[in-house]
Amino acid sequence: MTVFVSNDKVVLVAPPGEAAVLGPLDVGRLRAALRDAVVATADEEES
């Protein structure tokens, strides 16, 4: 799964037909990636 920012949106990309089964550590990493993406969009809006 990939998390990135496009314009003012956070985009999650997963391979077609794939499911994500996340353990606690993976959920924490996803949460951190989403938080970083949201912060990046906020920084872009302020610029």
Side-chain angles (χ1 to χ4, degrees):
M1 183 176 297
T2 304
V3 177
F4 68 94
V5 176
S6 177
N7 297 320
D8 62 345
K9 305 292 184 204
V10 176
V11 182
L12 301 175
V13 179
E18 295 292 325
V21 179
L22 306 175
L25 182 59
D26 295 322
V27 170
R29 288 177 177 156
L30 177 58
R31 179 178 178 262
L34 291 171
R35 182 190 63 235
D36 292 347
V38 168
V39 168
T41 61
D43 288 346
E44 289 178 7
E45 289 176 3
E46 292 175 3
S47 299

